[in-house]
Amino acid sequence: MKLALTDYKTFIFKYYDQVDIYSYYLDIPPEEIIKCVKYKNYISNPLRVDYNPSLTFMLKGDKIKMIDSARREYNGDVFDIVGRIIEENSNDKQGFIKICNDIINNILPLDTISSDIVSVSKPITINKKGINKSNNSKEFETIINTWEKSNVRYWKEHHVDIKFLEQERVFPIRQGFINNYLYYNHSNNSPGFVYLLYKTSKGKDIIKWYFPYETKKRKFKTNNKLQFENIVDFKPNKYLFLIKSTKDRVVIKKLLSLSKSKIVRNLIKNTTFISLSSESFNFKKQIIEGLNKNYDRISVYLDNDKVGHSVENKYNSYFKFNFIESDNKDIADHVKVNGLKDNILFIENFFVTCLE
């Protein structure tokens, strides 16, 4: 039986987040779209040259509409905008069906992390000498580098070794391409790293690039649209520790692995460590219910700054939030300026406090 057009529309709105759809096709961070909806912010339209930011998003009924105050032809809902991008007419029956199928094939549904934490994902397997491609309409190609001095030096400052990085699926980048265009080329002054996040049920490789010394705009690049990054590590456990980034998760886990405390080592065995894709996350109701069903205690570590505390105010009835008690706003920065012995003790105390 074929779905009618109204069924397609109902299906998309029920199972797919409109913010995720816009974010994927327009390459705009979800938090920027949410700010437009909430505060009527204006940003530049990525579909045209827009030196005077004229784009915003508005909630009208159950739809989030894209509004360009300078060019009305860019106004519309997700179906109109995706249609413009993939060159299909949303007002044409066959065009509309192609638009819906494109969304379904490229965007992960809201219930990807189900109430039973049953993941549809698999780890990415990679040939270090080869190319890792994401089978995606925006195609990422990553040529893996050897661990050169500049790559090793960056993580050594955080007391993390190569073996542990590879265990956590972190590798250095030699070159990175987006849609066959060179985006990054390794230099000793600006090392780059790829986080291999997961492979979807449709065979797409989901990755994240991290360039620590680049500008804020170029520091990260990813095709991940979930609230979480390493979802292949989700498993039922006693505790869940949600950490604001892959970098902080790797640093915390490495230092905890060096602990000789029986209490800490027991906590580690009973804890699942998951990275958040953004501090400006927007947990759906079914996600919260699924997490609380599978874990006795859920703790969230965020930066001790304005963004971190704003999230705490939003979700403090669901989770326990933790902030680093240090002059530095995050754990990775704290670790960088302190010795290994002091850091192990610091992380031990921090970890126990988070889950007590």
Side-chain angles (χ1 to χ4, degrees):
M1 185 180 76
K2 293 183 178 180
L3 287 173
L5 296 187
T6 52
D7 294 329
Y8 270 107
K9 185 172 290 189
T10 301
F11 180 81
I12 295 290
F13 283 146
K14 181 176 181 180
Y15 293 105
Y16 294 83
D17 191 311
Q18 295 173 70
V19 171
D20 290 343
I21 297 172
Y22 281 123
S23 177
Y24 174 84
Y25 286 96
L26 297 172
D27 197 22
I28 299 173
E31 54 265 30
E32 292 300 318
I33 297 172
I34 293 170
K35 287 178 183 177
C36 288
V37 174
K38 285 186 174 181
Y39 309 114
K40 298 182 180 179
N41 290 1
Y42 282 86
I43 57 178
S44 295
N45 187 342
L47 301 182
R48 66 177 182 84
V49 177
D50 187 11
Y51 295 118
N52 184 24
S54 57
L55 179 68
T56 192
F57 296 85
M58 295 182 181
L59 182 63
K60 295 188 176 182
D62 62 348
K63 295 181 181 179
I64 296 177
K65 292 198 171 184
M66 176 170 150
I67 307 293
D68 188 323
S69 59
R71 298 277 293 274
R72 293 182 63 183
E73 65 266 31
Y74 290 98
N75 295 355
D77 60 18
V78 289
F79 305 106
D80 299 322
I81 303 308
V82 173
R84 170 175 281 276
I85 292 170
I86 68 172
E87 299 182 345
E88 294 289 346
N89 185 354
S90 61
N91 295 314
D92 173 76
K93 181 178 180 179
Q94 293 304 317
F96 183 79
I97 291 174
K98 288 180 180 179
I99 291 167
C100 291
N101 284 329
D102 202 85
I103 292 171
I104 292 169
N105 288 331
N106 284 297
I107 309 298
L108 291 175
L110 292 174
D111 61 352
T112 299
I113 306 298
S114 71
S115 60
D116 294 319
I117 312 296
V118 178
S119 174
V120 300
S121 67
K122 297 178 181 179
I124 297 175
T125 56
I126 188 167
N127 179 349
K128 298 178 191 177
K129 296 181 180 179
I131 299 176
N132 170 48
K133 290 187 178 182
S134 64
N135 181 20
N136 203 310
S137 60
K138 175 174 284 188
E139 188 179 79
F140 285 69
E141 297 183 18
T142 310
I143 300 179
I144 302 301
N145 201 0
T146 56
W147 283 99
E148 298 184 9
K149 288 183 179 180
S150 57
N151 306 129
V152 176
R153 186 187 310 119
Y154 176 77
W155 289 100
K156 190 175 181 180
E157 292 175 343
H158 299 88
H159 308 292
V160 183
D161 59 89
I162 294 174
K163 183 178 179 180
F164 192 83
L165 288 166
E166 293 190 349
Q167 177 184 311
E168 295 297 317
R169 303 180 297 279
V170 178
F171 296 90
I173 302 174
R174 180 154 60 92
Q175 288 182 316
F177 297 83
I178 298 179
N179 293 338
N180 296 321
Y181 289 96
L182 182 66
Y183 183 87
Y184 168 80
N185 196 32
H186 169 76
S187 75
N188 290 328
N189 294 326
S190 183
F193 305 94
V194 60
Y195 303 151
L196 306 184
L197 302 183
Y198 57 94
K199 185 186 289 289
T200 72
S201 59
K202 294 183 174 69
K204 297 178 185 177
D205 290 346
I206 306 301
I207 63 172
K208 185 174 186 177
W209 290 343
Y210 174 47
F211 309 108
Y213 299 123
E214 293 287 345
T215 61
K216 185 177 180 180
K217 188 175 182 180
R218 285 182 57 90
K219 193 177 287 284
F220 300 102
K221 206 70 178 175
T222 183
N223 57 353
N224 180 36
K225 300 303 177 184
L226 293 181
Q227 293 101 327
F228 312 101
E229 293 191 331
N230 57 316
I231 65 172
V232 292
D233 296 326
F234 261 118
K235 61 181 179 180
N237 213 333
K238 188 171 184 179
Y239 305 114
L240 174 64
F241 195 13
L242 299 175
I243 302 170
K244 66 101 179 176
S245 72
T246 290
K247 176 184 172 183
D248 282 349
R249 174 176 58 82
V250 169
V251 171
I252 289 172
K253 286 187 68 177
K254 174 57 185 178
L255 291 175
L256 287 175
S257 72
L258 300 175
S259 173
K260 296 180 180 179
S261 165
K262 290 184 179 179
I263 294 174
V264 171
R265 300 186 82 82
N266 186 55
L267 275 176
I268 293 172
K269 291 179 182 178
N270 291 292
T271 302
T272 296
F273 297 83
I274 300 293
S275 303
L276 295 166
S277 58
S278 169
E279 286 189 280
S280 302
F281 55 86
N282 185 27
F283 279 136
K284 307 299 186 295
K285 182 180 178 181
Q286 62 265 47
I287 299 275
I288 294 172
E289 291 175 349
L291 295 178
N292 283 323
K293 178 181 178 180
N294 284 275
Y295 300 98
D296 293 343
R297 181 180 294 276
I298 300 171
S299 190
V300 185
Y301 162 67
L302 301 174
D303 282 348
N304 188 17
D305 58 11
K306 184 177 180 180
V307 176
H309 288 287
S310 68
V311 175
E312 177 191 21
N313 292 333
K314 185 176 181 180
Y315 290 108
N316 60 9
S317 61
Y318 300 108
F319 310 118
K320 175 185 175 183
F321 286 80
N322 307 283
F323 302 95
I324 188 170
E325 294 183 7
S326 161
D327 293 335
N328 304 288
K329 75 171 187 175
D330 67 26
I331 280 182
D333 288 340
H334 178 94
V335 167
K336 188 176 177 179
V337 297
N338 289 277
L340 181 59
K341 185 176 179 179
D342 289 339
N343 273 315
I344 293 173
L345 180 61
F346 177 82
I347 293 295
E348 285 176 343
N349 292 335
F350 175 78
F351 183 55
V352 173
T353 300
C354 288
L355 296 179
E356 68 180 3

